[in-house]
């Protein structure tokens, strides 16, 4: 290139980078350069996401240290159960580490920009911090509101902590306005920068005190957990055991099902039942965006079909519905109240009960339709095919089916009714999805009896269902009382029954089950038995005196014990492979080199494409020490250094790209750079919104990250620069016109957003929750918040191009 001033002036944007351009691009067409820098920017964002994965792994190890605590447990032989509790307080870990980890790219970008720019204020760092805050608070919150299923709601569990971080997220930007407009216009003193940083530990302290209710009852246990939290951990531990037992009981006699498929299904159900940290969702989102190893069990076709079968056709003989377990007790379970109902032909109409249990707080639409048995539609009964609705709070519905009464003598005839639910509805069909309707001849007397004198159940059955039959005209409601008598089995130790010890036959119902919980102690025992007696009836009915007693025998199931041991080992191996952090360099290299972490069987076409584009970054960053070394600290600092180097390159790419296409650095910051650094948070929050039972990981922690961005990103960088210039007797100048305008617009939008979330929580029209709710208000709120983000971007951009008068 000729060495002349004119030529240098034609070398567009060569002075916009701190390190770049690395080669002479003077002869390159501007369009080609812009395209290359844009692709480089996208590729670098992928690299930041991958190295952020390692940073979050380190943070998880650092904050995940646990200690064992013994909790009283009457069900345990020793009288207690040991559970592991985290040594870090959850709120402190989220603010100090998780929020800091999510905000690291923005924070380091601001610090590096100042240090490599002769300690002068730049536009990219502060602009990215404000732009990222706007995207996270408005756009991500709007997407999370829209992501919840129709009629479903999610509330923030730690609402007081959310209010604290929400207030600090607004105070952070009001403080910027105070120091840049009121106290020291266009420059920042050392004390102002230091106070900006000190807001960070102050926020953490206040949030911790609110979390521990220091301003309320003030009772905090020395262990760092309240008894309610400890018992919650115990319940979660028991729930995991319950899931394993329920799946194994259903499948251990099915020869076509392999142990490894059952273990994979069990691991999936256990993983869905867990509450995950925001870091878990962020790492899983990053790996989904880069074709890496996922943190959730990936189902093959066999296990997917197995799960669909179990959920749709829950077998009889289980104390707890697998359907309920697989849905995390979040959905409604709808089923018929009885497996069979009878009606006299002369009654002309049969009434059938439909019950709902599980989550009864949501509106569920379902469908009931009849189909022929020996009875034929139109000839013997009128076909029924209708869509019905359970409104919030409703637990019982009834349908009536017309019977055709003719003068022709016929034998008893049967037809059936079936319940179905669309997949997108917040409900599933329970165990009694089909009921039988029997059309009887007239003038038959009712009587109650056991169909057999003895029943045998395996100890692993969970719930023994002992049938009781009602024969005759089946007119009116009948209550049957029963009792048990110990023979070898002992009530309370080997089995237990409902306290009422009665079953109710509604009009027309011909079969009911006495549910007896069988206690499986997982130890070898001889066969045990007990007696069940029918002791009386209330209603127009009598007992069959010859069949009022039956003996229930519980047999040991040694085969099941071995099956449990095999599948439990495989399940633990599956769960162990889902660890957030790597335990060795070998595993790290293996996952980096292979698509989907080596799980090629379940890799999609998208995984292959993303793995191809990110392969270089994966291999480079696999050289970082695994998080298992030195408690995660070595991985933490190495990842910080790598993010710092990459952010310096991103800053140059963004500045030069913006210059080439005519964008000012301030606009580039609030659009391209803010979006690039925030996309993993978008996918992580959306996943948390759909999978978690609360809204904390979706939107509750966003405000903390926003405040951390300002307190750390600007607090640290401005402190370094202010001290540097103060040592030379000068002020640290900050050209605040565009920044102040952007902060004002953001602050107004932030107050509106937080206000809307609070209104949604306490207003019935929105479902009294931050996320989800009725379809209309949900869509309106989500689109409003996304539109609010566009409004912020447009106004800030117009001001930078002087379409709006600056401040």
């Amino acid at each position: 290139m000729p060495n002349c001033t004119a030529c240098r002036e034609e070398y567009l944007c060569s002075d916009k980078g701190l390190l770049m351009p690395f080669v002479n691009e003077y002869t390159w067409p501007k369009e080609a350069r812009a395209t290359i820098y844009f692709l480089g920017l996208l590729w670098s964002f992928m690299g930041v996401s991958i190295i952020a994965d390692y940073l979050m792994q380190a943070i998880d190890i650092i904050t995940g240290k646990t200690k064992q605590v013994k909790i009283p447990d009457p069900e345990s032989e020793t009288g207690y159960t040991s559970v592991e509790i985290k040594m870090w307080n959850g709120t402190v870990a989220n603010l100090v580490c998780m929020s800091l980890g999510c905000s690291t790219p923005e924070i380091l970008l601001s610090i590096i920009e100042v240090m490599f720019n002769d300690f002068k204020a730049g536009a990219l760092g502060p602009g990215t911090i404000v732009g990222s805050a706007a995207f996270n608070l408005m756009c991500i919150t709007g997407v999370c509101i829209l992501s919840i299923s129709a009629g479903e709601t999610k509330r923030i569990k730690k609402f007081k902590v959310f209010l604290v971080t929400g207030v600090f997220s607004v105070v952070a930007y009001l403080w910027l306005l105070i120091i840049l407009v009121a106290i020291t216009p266009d420059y920042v003193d050392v004390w102002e920068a230091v106070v900006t940083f000190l807001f960070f530990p102050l926020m953490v302290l206040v949030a911790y005190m609110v979390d521990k209710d220091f301003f309320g009852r003030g009772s905090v246990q020395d262990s760092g957990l309240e008894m309610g939290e400890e018992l919650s951990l115990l319940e979660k531990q028991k729930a995991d055991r319950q899931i394993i037992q329920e799946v194994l009981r259903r499948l251990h006699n099915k020869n076509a099902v392999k142990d490894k498929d059952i273990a994979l299904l069990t691991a999936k159900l256990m993983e869905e039942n867990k509450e995950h940290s925001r870091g878990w969702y962020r790492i899983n989102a990053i790996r989904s965006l880069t074709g890496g190893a996922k943190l959730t069990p990936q189902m093959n076709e066999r296990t997917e079909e197995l799960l669909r079968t179990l959920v749709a056709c829950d077998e009889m003989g289980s104390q707890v519905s697998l359907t309920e377990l697989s849905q995390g007790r979040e959905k409604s379970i709808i089923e018929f109240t009885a497996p069979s109902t009878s009606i006299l032909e002369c009654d002309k109409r049969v009434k059938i009960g439909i019950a709902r249990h599980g989550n009864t707080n949501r509106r569920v639409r379902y469908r009931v339709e009849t189909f022929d048995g020996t009875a034929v539609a139109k000839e013997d009964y009128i076909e029924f095919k209708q869509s019905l609705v359970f409104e919030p709070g409703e637990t019982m519905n009834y349908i009536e089916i017309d019977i055709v009464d003719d003068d022709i003598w016929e034998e008893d005839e049967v037809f059936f009714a079936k319940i179905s639910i669309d997949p997108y509805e917040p409900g599933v069909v329970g165990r009694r999805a089909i009921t039988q309707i029997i059309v009887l001849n007239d003038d038959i007397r009712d009587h109650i009896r056991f169909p057999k004198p003895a029943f045998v159940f395996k100890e692993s059955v969970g719930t023994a269902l002992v049938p009781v039959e009602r024969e005759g005209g089946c007119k009116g409601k009948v209550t049957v009382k029963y009792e048990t008598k110990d023979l070898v089995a002992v009530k309370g130790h080997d089995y237990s029954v409902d306290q009422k010890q009665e079953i109710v036959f509604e009009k027309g119902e011909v079969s009911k089950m006495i549910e007896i919980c069988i206690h499986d102690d997982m130890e070898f025992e001889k066969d045990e038995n007990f007696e069940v007696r029918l002791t009386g009836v209330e209603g127009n009915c009598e007992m069959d005196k010859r069949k009022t007693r039956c003996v229930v025998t519980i047999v040991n199931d040694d085969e099941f014990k071995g099956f449990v041991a095999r599948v439990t080992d495989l399940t633990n191996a599956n769960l162990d492979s889902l660890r957030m952090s790597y335990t060795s360099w070998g595993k790290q290299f293996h996952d980096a080199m292979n698509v989907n972490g080596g799980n090629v069987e379940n890799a999609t076409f998208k995984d292959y494409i993303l793995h191809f584009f990110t392969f270089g970054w994966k291999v480079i960053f696999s050289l970082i020490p695994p998080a298992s070394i030195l408690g995660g600290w070595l991985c933490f600092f190495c990842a910080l250094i790598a993010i710092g180097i990459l952010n310096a390159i991103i800053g140059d790419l963004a500045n030069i790209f913006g210059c080439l296409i005519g964008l000012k650095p301030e606009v580039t910051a609030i659009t391209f750079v803010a979006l690039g650094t925030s996309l993993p948070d978008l996918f992580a929050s959306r996943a948390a919104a759909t999978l978690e039972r609360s809204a904390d990981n979706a939107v509750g922690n966003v405000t903390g990250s926003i405040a951390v961005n300002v307190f750390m990103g600007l607090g640290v960088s401005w402190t370094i620069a202010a001290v540097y210039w103060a040592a030379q007797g000068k002020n640290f100048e900050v050209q605040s016109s565009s920044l102040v305008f952007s902060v004002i617009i953001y602050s107004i939008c932030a107050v509106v957003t937080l206000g809307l979330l609070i209104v949604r929580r306490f207003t019935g029209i929105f479902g009294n929750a931050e996320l989800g709710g009725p379809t209309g208000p949900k869509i309106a709120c989500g689109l409003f918040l996304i539109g609010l983000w566009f409004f912020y971007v447009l106004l800030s951009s117009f001001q930078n191009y002087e379409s709006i008068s600056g401040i």
Side-chain angles (χ1 to χ4, degrees):
M1 182 181 69
N3 187 15
C4 64
T5 304
C7 293
R8 290 181 182 276
E9 291 177 354
E10 293 177 3
Y11 190 1
L12 291 176
C13 309
S14 61
D15 59 338
K16 298 299 181 182
L18 304 176
L19 305 174
M20 301 180 74
F22 293 134
V23 298
N24 193 328
E25 304 167 5
Y26 173 71
T27 59
W28 297 8
K30 184 175 71 172
E31 294 77 10
R33 292 179 64 201
T35 302
I36 291 171
Y37 275 94
F38 177 69
L39 295 177
L41 192 60
L42 293 181
W43 194 57
S44 297
F45 285 142
M46 289 183 176
V48 167
S49 296
I50 292 171
I51 188 58
D53 181 335
Y54 288 88
L55 181 69
M56 298 304 294
Q57 290 178 42
I59 289 173
D60 178 67
I61 292 293
I62 293 169
T63 61
K65 290 182 172 60
T66 61
K67 61 180 179 181
Q68 283 199 339
V69 173
K70 295 180 179 178
I71 299 176
D73 182 6
E75 298 180 12
S76 173
E77 292 183 358
T78 59
Y80 65 86
T81 297
S82 295
V83 297
E84 288 191 344
I85 62 172
K86 290 187 176 182
M87 298 174 65
W88 279 65
N89 172 264
T91 297
V92 174
N94 272 332
L95 291 176
V96 174
C97 295
M98 290 302 175
S99 294
L100 186 59
C102 294
S103 303
T104 296
E106 295 95 329
I107 293 171
L108 289 182
L109 181 62
S110 179
I111 294 173
I112 290 170
E113 183 181 40
V114 167
M115 295 183 66
F116 281 81
N117 194 31
D118 297 328
F119 295 94
K120 295 178 182 178
L124 196 64
T128 300
I129 286 175
V130 183
S132 177
F135 182 82
N136 288 346
L137 184 60
M138 300 164 214
C139 196
I140 290 181
T141 302
V143 170
C144 289
I145 291 174
L146 294 172
S147 299
I148 306 301
S149 302
E152 187 178 359
T153 58
K154 302 282 179 78
R155 288 166 63 91
I156 295 175
K157 188 163 57 177
K158 293 189 175 183
F159 187 66
K160 292 181 180 179
V161 174
F162 169 73
L163 289 179
V164 170
T165 56
V167 169
F168 271 95
S169 69
V170 175
V171 167
Y173 289 91
L174 294 179
W175 171 246
L176 292 183
L177 293 177
I178 291 171
I179 63 176
L180 292 176
V181 176
I183 301 177
T184 54
D186 293 329
Y187 71 91
V188 175
D189 276 336
V190 174
W191 73 269
E192 293 172 327
V194 171
V195 169
T196 303
F197 170 76
L198 291 178
F199 270 118
F200 172 61
L202 177 63
M203 178 183 68
V204 174
L205 177 62
V206 174
Y208 173 77
M209 295 173 70
V210 168
D211 182 41
K212 286 301 180 183
D213 207 8
F214 277 27
F215 304 107
R217 65 181 184 274
S219 59
V220 183
Q221 295 184 351
D222 293 337
S223 65
L225 278 180
E226 296 179 357
M227 181 58 72
E229 297 174 6
E230 293 176 343
L231 293 176
S232 176
L233 289 171
L234 179 60
E235 289 302 318
K236 290 175 184 176
Q237 195 176 83
K238 290 181 178 179
D240 284 346
R241 292 200 299 266
Q242 189 181 30
I243 288 174
I244 294 177
Q245 291 171 3
E246 287 303 317
V247 174
L248 299 186
R249 282 171 182 146
R250 309 299 175 83
L251 301 177
H252 78 280
N253 286 326
K254 297 186 181 298
N255 296 326
V257 182
K258 297 179 180 179
D259 288 358
K260 66 177 183 179
D261 292 333
I262 298 175
L264 183 59
L265 175 59
T266 305
K268 179 178 177 61
L269 294 175
M270 290 178 64
E271 194 65 29
E272 288 179 349
N273 195 52
K274 289 182 179 179
E275 291 184 0
H276 299 291
S277 66
R278 182 167 178 80
W280 185 93
Y281 283 105
R282 200 173 197 276
I283 290 178
N284 203 40
I286 290 170
R287 295 187 184 180
S288 297
L289 290 171
T290 58
K294 313 300 188 296
L295 295 180
T296 54
Q298 295 179 270
M299 309 284 279
N300 53 40
E301 291 184 3
R302 297 187 305 276
T303 47
E304 287 282 5
E305 180 62 30
L306 185 60
L307 179 60
R308 284 194 295 269
T309 302
L310 286 173
V311 172
C313 306
D314 227 345
E315 296 177 2
M316 298 293 287
S318 173
Q319 177 186 3
V320 179
S321 167
L322 181 63
T323 300
E324 277 191 73
L325 290 171
S326 66
Q327 300 298 334
R329 304 186 189 275
E330 287 296 312
K331 292 192 173 185
S332 295
I333 314 297
I334 298 175
E335 59 186 355
F336 289 109
T337 56
S340 182
T341 303
S342 68
I343 182 70
L344 293 173
E345 188 178 74
C346 62
D347 285 342
K348 299 183 179 180
R349 181 171 294 174
V350 59
K351 186 177 182 179
I352 301 172
I354 301 171
R356 174 169 75 156
H357 54 97
N359 188 336
T360 60
N361 297 322
R362 295 147 67 184
R363 187 176 191 270
V364 183
R365 183 180 296 275
Y366 62 100
R367 187 172 180 82
V368 178
E369 54 186 323
T370 56
F371 59 95
D372 293 346
T374 55
V376 179
K378 296 183 180 179
E379 295 181 9
D380 300 304
Y381 69 96
I382 304 302
E383 184 181 32
F384 186 95
K385 188 179 294 185
Q386 289 184 18
S387 291
L388 306 170
V389 174
F390 270 108
E391 297 293 345
E394 279 189 322
T395 57
M396 282 294 300
N397 275 348
Y398 294 93
I399 62 171
E400 293 186 348
I401 302 174
D402 292 328
I403 305 298
V404 176
D405 185 14
D406 52 34
D407 297 329
I408 303 173
W409 184 91
E410 296 173 304
E411 294 183 354
D412 296 346
E413 297 175 310
V414 300
F415 65 96
F416 304 91
K418 177 183 178 181
I419 297 174
S420 59
I421 302 177
D422 289 332
Y424 57 80
E425 288 290 335
V428 290
V429 181
R431 291 176 292 183
R432 290 186 284 268
I434 297 176
T435 188
Q436 174 184 251
I437 299 99
I438 307 171
V439 183
L440 302 172
N441 287 323
D442 301 348
D443 303 324
I444 301 176
R445 297 190 64 185
D446 289 8
H447 59 273
I448 300 292
R449 68 176 187 177
F450 286 116
K452 296 192 302 182
F455 298 90
V456 178
F457 298 96
K458 290 185 177 181
E459 188 180 24
S460 59
V461 71
T463 299
L465 299 181
V466 180
V468 180
E469 293 181 346
R470 176 187 186 186
E471 293 185 347
C474 303
K475 295 182 178 179
K477 178 179 178 180
V478 173
T479 300
V480 180
K481 297 186 179 296
Y482 65 90
E483 66 181 17
T484 59
K485 178 183 177 182
D486 293 347
L487 297 177
V488 178
V490 179
K491 183 178 179 180
H493 180 266
D494 298 307
Y495 71 95
S496 58
V497 295
D498 184 72
Q499 291 183 351
K500 290 184 177 180
Q501 295 193 181
E502 66 179 32
I503 53 176
V504 178
F505 287 86
E506 297 292 344
K507 178 182 178 181
E509 292 182 341
V510 296
S511 178
K512 282 287 188 177
M513 298 289 179
I514 296 176
E515 297 189 3
I516 302 174
C517 178
I518 305 300
H519 299 171
D520 187 358
D521 52 17
M522 298 293 182
E523 296 178 357
F524 177 80
E525 296 174 307
K526 293 182 179 179
D527 296 346
E528 301 165 319
N529 54 20
F530 60 93
E531 186 178 77
V532 184
R533 302 176 181 176
L534 302 179
T535 58
V537 295
E538 296 177 2
N540 187 22
C541 188
E542 61 183 24
M543 292 190 296
D544 186 339
K545 299 297 184 182
R546 299 169 300 171
K547 299 181 179 180
T548 59
R549 299 185 181 189
C550 72
V551 174
V552 176
T553 302
I554 307 170
V555 297
N556 193 56
D557 193 353
D558 291 329
E559 179 188 352
F560 179 69
K561 305 295 191 270
F563 175 71
V564 168
R566 294 195 307 272
V567 175
T568 300
D569 289 342
L570 288 171
T571 300
N572 290 332
N574 283 325
L575 292 174
D576 189 62
S577 68
L578 302 176
R579 286 184 178 181
M580 286 173 61
S581 56
Y582 294 111
T583 56
S584 67
W585 253 304
K587 174 64 174 173
Q588 204 161 270
F589 277 118
H590 174 271
D591 283 8
M593 296 288 291
N594 293 280
V595 64
N596 203 24
N599 186 2
V600 179
E601 179 184 2
N602 295 308
T604 64
F605 178 73
K606 183 190 77 171
D607 288 331
Y608 279 98
I609 295 298
L610 294 173
H611 179 70
F612 173 78
F613 284 112
T614 58
F615 179 78
W617 290 124
K618 289 179 179 179
V619 173
I620 292 171
F621 293 138
S622 65
L623 298 173
I624 289 177
S628 58
I629 298 176
L630 297 180
W633 288 106
L634 183 59
C635 177
F636 179 80
F637 287 112
C638 289
L640 280 181
I641 294 171
I643 292 175
I645 295 171
L646 198 49
N647 270 333
I649 296 173
I650 286 176
D652 283 4
L653 288 168
N655 278 323
I656 297 174
F657 169 70
C659 174
L660 289 170
I661 65 173
L663 284 181
K664 289 188 176 182
E666 294 85 353
V667 179
T668 305
I670 65 174
T671 52
F672 290 100
V673 183
L675 278 173
T677 56
S678 298
L679 275 180
D681 292 307
L682 171 63
F683 289 99
S685 292
R686 186 181 181 280
T690 56
L691 298 177
E692 286 284 298
R693 299 178 187 179
S694 68
D696 293 72
N697 281 327
V699 297
N701 293 326
V702 168
T703 50
S705 296
I706 291 171
V708 169
N709 269 348
V710 175
F711 299 148
M712 293 292 290
L714 296 183
V716 174
S717 62
W718 285 2
T719 298
I720 293 171
V723 169
Y724 173 83
W725 290 109
Q728 300 183 44
K730 298 180 180 179
N731 294 323
F732 171 47
E733 296 181 358
V734 178
Q735 298 299 321
S736 59
S737 58
S738 60
L739 178 60
V740 167
F741 184 85
S742 182
V743 168
I744 290 174
I745 299 301
Y746 165 78
S747 299
I748 294 172
C749 294
V751 171
V752 171
T753 302
L754 294 174
L756 177 61
L757 289 177
I758 293 172
V759 169
R760 285 181 55 86
R761 184 181 180 90
F762 296 103
T763 307
I765 192 175
F766 298 112
N768 293 111
E770 289 82 2
L771 302 183
T775 303
K778 177 187 74 173
I779 294 175
C781 289
L783 294 179
F784 170 75
L785 291 180
I786 295 173
L788 199 62
W789 174 70
F790 278 108
F791 172 77
Y792 158 78
V793 171
L794 288 175
L795 282 189
S796 298
S797 300
F798 287 156
Q799 192 276 337
N800 277 284
Y801 288 101
E802 300 180 355
S803 297
I804 299 176
S805 297
I807 294 177

